[in-house]
Amino acid sequence: MAEIVYPPVILAAKAMFRVLDNRLRVTGTEHIPRTGGAVIACNHVSYLDFIFCGLGAQPAKRLVRFMAKKEVFDNKVAGPLMRGMHHIPVDRAAGRESYDEAVRRLRAGEVVGVFPEATISRSFTVKPIKSGAVRMAAEAGVPVVPMSLWGTHRLWTKSRPRTLTKRHVPIHIHVGEPFWPTPQDDPDALTEDLRARMAKILDDLQADYPEKPETEDERWWLPAHLGGTAPTPEEAAELDARKDD
């Protein structure tokens, strides 16, 4: 398929990050397959994660087709861009259609990106995840590549004002080792394994992050178990049950 929109969007994003001097560090990129289909399963802490997850595949020269809720495609600004980059709309009322489209793309040798937590994690830990990533990989005969990122939430996340012009924010991305689900495997067990892999990567990124909150007000971007004021996973689940902003 023709790639008219995706390359300019990538160039624009990279230019913006250079202007803002976002200290982007991407590691583990050798785990992204250079050819053939693959599912990238990434944690979700920010509205900007699809941009940075996609950049994580750039060293392998792969374009990631993200599965995103249909409402994004309905937006007058974002919709044309999403369609132009050949991302996959997800209608929660008819999820099978988007699942089948993702499997078709994987079998055609494309990389499909998913956020298996489904929504942004308010606790900045890895929430319970859905099984779609491992099931579609098993059906298509491709690997799952776990990925986590950290720092993007400081720019734009749930229940916080956007700070898209904030400069010098470190953003770290790590790509984990791929694994190959098969139709014979237990999808629930594989899903828990994927969550554990994503959580381990995220823990390592948080431990190695070069900045700490400088004031009490800045502790919001650290998870509770690291001394921050972000909701605990239990508190975050209660907030998610009450509202979705």
Side-chain angles (χ1 to χ4, degrees):
M1 64 182 74
E3 299 296 347
I4 299 172
V5 177
Y6 216 142
V9 169
I10 292 171
L11 290 175
K14 288 181 176 179
M16 182 184 73
F17 301 147
R18 283 194 295 271
V19 169
L20 296 177
D21 190 28
N22 292 135
R23 288 176 280 165
L24 185 63
R25 187 185 78 180
V26 185
T27 55
T29 57
E30 68 275 10
H31 297 311
I32 301 285
R34 267 47 182 177
T35 60
V39 176
I40 292 180
C42 189
N43 74 314
H44 202 8
V45 293
S46 166
Y47 292 108
L48 303 174
D49 289 340
F50 73 97
I51 298 174
F52 291 96
C53 179
L55 286 176
Q58 278 293 291
K61 296 182 170 55
R62 303 305 303 271
L63 297 177
V64 183
R65 315 300 180 181
F66 286 98
M67 301 184 74
K69 60 184 180 181
K70 177 179 176 293
E71 289 79 2
V72 178
F73 290 79
D74 294 336
N75 183 276
K76 292 181 180 179
V77 176
L81 290 174
M82 296 294 283
R83 287 187 289 273
M85 290 185 281
H86 308 297
H87 295 315
I88 304 169
V90 178
D91 184 346
R92 292 177 180 175
R96 183 70 201 188
E97 183 177 343
S98 57
Y99 175 91
D100 289 343
E101 174 64 12
V103 170
R104 186 188 70 78
R105 300 278 194 97
L106 291 167
R107 286 173 172 163
E110 295 196 55
V111 177
V112 172
V114 299
F115 297 102
E117 294 166 279
T119 58
I120 290 173
S121 171
R122 299 173 189 264
S123 67
F124 307 138
T125 61
V126 179
K127 298 164 54 175
I129 66 175
K130 298 184 181 297
S131 63
V134 297
R135 289 190 293 108
M136 68 176 64
E139 188 169 338
V142 303
V144 174
V145 182
M147 177 187 288
S148 287
L149 41 74
W150 184 243
T152 58
H153 61 305
R154 296 178 63 188
L155 300 176
W156 190 13
T157 192
K158 275 190 174 182
S159 303
R160 300 292 306 185
R162 280 177 287 187
T163 54
L164 299 180
T165 58
K166 185 175 179 63
R167 294 172 57 83
H168 315 305
V169 174
I171 294 170
H172 292 184
I173 305 164
H174 183 73
V175 185
E177 294 184 11
F179 64 100
W180 293 75
T182 72
Q184 290 73 41
D185 294 322
D186 178 356
D188 292 334
L190 283 180
T191 299
E192 281 306 307
D193 179 48
L194 172 59
R195 180 171 182 257
R197 291 170 186 250
M198 293 166 58
K200 175 62 168 61
I201 295 171
L202 180 58
D203 287 345
D204 291 343
L205 292 178
Q206 291 170 341
D208 293 339
Y209 196 66
E211 292 187 0
K212 302 295 181 187
E214 295 181 356
T215 67
E216 183 69 18
D217 288 344
E218 289 184 346
R219 288 175 58 215
W220 69 265
W221 58 262
L222 270 188
H225 73 277
L226 293 179
T229 57
T232 65
E234 295 77 18
E235 292 168 341
E238 291 181 7
L239 287 170
D240 285 341
R242 293 204 299 266
K243 62 181 180 179
D244 185 8
D245 60 355

